[in-house]
Amino acid sequence: MKKVTKKLMALGLSTAMALSLVACGSSPEPAQTQEAPAKEPETAPATEPEAPADNAAADTAESTEGSTSDLNASITLWTYPIGNWGDSATVDSLIASFNAAYPGVTVTVEYLDYTNGDDQVNTAIEGGQAPDIVMEGPERLVANWGARGLMVDLSDLFATEAGGEIYDSVESACKGADGKYYEYPLCMVAHCMAINQNIFEAADAMQYLDVENHTWTTENFLKAVQAVYDSGHENVAAIYCSGQGGDQGTRAIINNLYSSTFTNAEHTAYTADTPENIKALETLYAQDGINFDASINGGEEITLFRNGTLAMSFCWNAAQQTNTDNAAAGTTNNGDTILPMLFPSDDGKTELCGGIWGFGIFDNGDQAKIDAAKAFIDFICNEPSQVKESVKASTYFPVRPTLTGIYDGMETAETMDMFSTYFMPSMGDYYQVVPGWAEARTEWWNMLQRIGTGGDVTTEVGTFVTNANTAAGAGN
């Protein structure tokens, strides 16, 4: 007999809006966030970034005097809620530093969210009033607006020494199919999962984890879930699927269980109908304590995890771990310890979905504005006296391995170092730039809903791939 979908008690779901992904973002993917942080939309840590010291800004202004004083323009920056880049006080301090070096450029900011932000941008495009700069990820800047010929080529920024330091996988994600760069990246994060350590200890399930390395095998993951379920915790985990929020988590658990893929390596077609993915979905559906739940999304799953209803979350990252909205960082609402974990895999090699965020410039036909926008991006992302503060404002990680010590001296330093050491190296292929991505995301959660109500897994995954590849123009 097939398992009937169980509805979780969505306690305190109003709080979930504050905890929804950037991305956990795609973007998370900001909601997916980070592919957030999953805010796609991701929740940012409460610690506010420090504003750059006045003398640093003054030094920058003095060193650039003459070369920048003749740059005059008024530009608009529209930013999605990527960490504290959604906080006006933080962004104002960053702009103040930029204006110390570029006093002739006025920057007006519009703050977007992941509920209505896309509609706002698309309406502006249709009305011929697109912003000059948008801060977001490759899903929008490259695969959407860039592919439509609306964005400025930023190849000249990548030609600089700082551009050359960017991780190859990140740089590749910022490039369109035509070879032009439509995003200049600032920060990144790898999305993971997490467990309630107290619940696992009470169930004697910690024996199945490699706590030191935050890893576990597929076999041990299933043993741990069964142990927690047998201990009396009926809702161990949820395959949430009311919408796309946090969908990078459901993709990651399914793709990693038996080491499969979501797209091809060329990012031209969807490949989720592999025997390995079908086996993963069948395994999750049959597993006691894991319930397909069409009443919640990723942000709401986080709320249920924080309040103890769920024993694990598939929608986690560094921003969630450092969040202090309802309790001390790294704890649930009642003080239980939250332990971040890599997704389980059968081959010992987890590939995490990631979020990449940076800046793109709409081509509004005004070269003075384009030049000013490029100057802003170059200053924020590359100026030595500024870039650490810019990344810190995101609450995520730099896209260049040479940029270290971002969070030194902050309360979050130990946690951020843990994620840098154990999670960021497992960031996998950034596949969220396949054509038809928006349609594929909708097809994904619709597929999970059908499986959750008893649909044949092979049939439903086949339907997903057919519809997604039709949207991608890849056929099937």
Side-chain angles (χ1 to χ4, degrees):
M1 179 180 296
K2 288 211 178 246
K3 180 171 61 175
V4 178
T5 302
K6 298 177 183 176
K7 297 283 187 180
L8 302 179
M9 294 173 56
L11 303 177
L13 290 186
S14 60
T15 309
M17 297 308 295
L19 296 173
S20 60
L21 294 179
V22 142
C24 173
S26 90
S27 276
E29 303 182 305
Q32 295 202 137
T33 265
Q34 270 208 13
E35 185 156 42
K39 358 176 245 222
E40 239 207 84
E42 309 273 357
T43 301
T47 304
E48 293 288 341
E50 301 172 3
D54 290 342
N55 59 345
D59 289 344
T60 301
E62 183 177 351
S63 65
T64 56
E65 187 175 359
S67 63
T68 63
S69 60
D70 58 347
L71 194 59
N72 292 279
S74 294
I75 59 175
T76 53
L77 164 67
W78 288 16
T79 176
Y80 284 78
I82 300 149
N84 288 324
W85 275 88
D87 173 68
S88 60
T90 300
V91 176
D92 284 349
S93 72
L94 299 172
I95 292 174
S97 296
F98 169 71
N99 282 144
Y102 292 85
V105 180
T106 300
V107 183
T108 303
V109 186
E110 179 84 16
Y111 296 94
L112 306 175
D113 59 36
Y114 284 103
T115 301
N116 302 310
D118 289 355
D119 290 338
Q120 290 176 255
V121 175
N122 289 330
T123 298
I125 292 171
E126 292 169 4
Q129 299 294 323
D132 296 300
I133 308 173
V134 172
M135 184 181 190
E136 229 297 284
E139 299 95 316
R140 291 172 173 84
L141 298 178
V142 179
N144 185 355
W145 302 317
R148 291 161 58 187
L150 302 174
M151 310 298 287
V152 173
D153 182 7
L154 303 179
S155 296
D156 53 341
L157 291 179
F158 282 90
T160 66
E161 181 180 353
E165 297 171 354
I166 295 169
Y167 289 109
D168 289 343
S169 59
V170 175
E171 182 173 329
S172 176
C174 295
K175 183 189 295 186
D178 58 3
K180 297 178 180 179
Y181 290 95
Y182 296 117
E183 175 177 345
Y184 195 80
L186 172 68
C187 57
M188 60 192 287
V189 75
H191 301 296
C192 62
M193 62 177 295
I195 67 162
N196 182 315
Q197 186 168 330
N198 296 60
I199 292 176
F200 270 58
E201 288 173 345
D204 195 27
M206 293 299 292
Q207 62 180 303
Y208 302 114
L209 285 67
D210 179 347
V211 174
E212 180 180 356
N213 295 303
H214 301 266
T215 62
W216 43 5
T217 63
T218 295
E219 180 182 3
N220 281 337
F221 164 77
L222 296 172
K223 288 180 178 179
V225 172
Q226 189 66 49
V228 173
Y229 178 82
D230 290 343
S231 74
H233 202 99
E234 182 177 3
N235 294 311
V236 182
I239 302 297
Y240 47 85
C241 50
S242 70
Q244 70 181 31
D247 57 358
Q248 78 283 345
T250 56
R251 296 195 305 272
I253 184 65
I254 291 164
N255 292 159
N256 276 291
L257 274 183
Y258 298 107
S259 304
S260 194
T261 61
F262 192 73
T263 74
N264 62 8
E266 296 77 23
H267 300 154
T268 58
Y270 296 90
T271 59
D273 57 343
T274 63
E276 293 80 11
N277 281 335
I278 290 171
K279 181 181 179 181
L281 280 160
E282 291 174 340
T283 299
L284 292 168
Y285 183 77
Q287 176 61 52
D288 292 333
I290 296 181
N291 305 295
F292 285 66
D293 196 320
S295 71
I296 60 173
N297 60 28
E300 294 159 345
E301 183 244 35
I302 291 170
T303 295
L304 294 170
F305 173 64
R306 287 190 185 278
N307 69 27
T309 302
L310 293 171
M312 65 174 65
S313 170
F314 296 139
C315 193
W316 208 251
N317 62 31
Q320 302 293 351
Q321 189 69 15
T322 55
N323 182 275
T324 58
D325 286 351
N326 299 305
T331 66
T332 65
N333 295 354
N334 68 353
D336 287 353
T337 298
I338 296 173
L339 180 66
M341 293 291 295
L342 293 166
F343 286 95
S345 65
D346 63 340
D347 64 356
K349 294 173 62 178
T350 299
E351 292 192 8
L352 299 179
C353 290
I356 298 171
W357 296 279
F359 303 92
I361 300 174
F362 275 99
D363 189 350
N364 290 321
D366 188 324
Q367 191 59 47
K369 288 178 177 289
I370 291 172
D371 291 343
K374 285 186 177 181
F376 178 84
I377 295 171
D378 187 49
F379 179 87
I380 290 295
C381 297
N382 294 327
E383 172 58 43
S385 66
Q386 174 61 38
V387 61
K388 286 189 176 183
E389 297 300 329
S390 304
V391 174
K392 190 186 297 183
S394 75
T395 71
Y396 294 133
F397 301 91
V399 296
R400 302 204 297 267
T402 56
L403 199 58
T404 60
I406 300 290
Y407 297 97
D408 287 355
M410 296 180 62
E411 292 182 4
T412 59
E414 185 175 350
T415 296
M416 299 304 279
D417 182 65
M418 173 187 66
F419 274 87
S420 293
T421 302
Y422 296 103
F423 293 89
M424 294 304 294
S426 292
M427 185 167 166
D429 177 41
Y430 198 90
Y431 55 71
Q432 298 96 300
V433 292
V434 176
W437 180 248
E439 294 85 353
R441 295 184 73 186
T442 299
E443 291 293 336
W444 178 254
W445 56 263
N446 285 339
M447 176 199 75
L448 294 177
Q449 287 186 359
R450 295 193 300 270
I451 292 173
T453 54
D456 177 74
V457 173
T458 300
T459 300
E460 301 303 345
V461 175
T463 298
F464 162 76
V465 169
T466 297
N467 293 344
N469 279 331
T470 297
N476 186 28

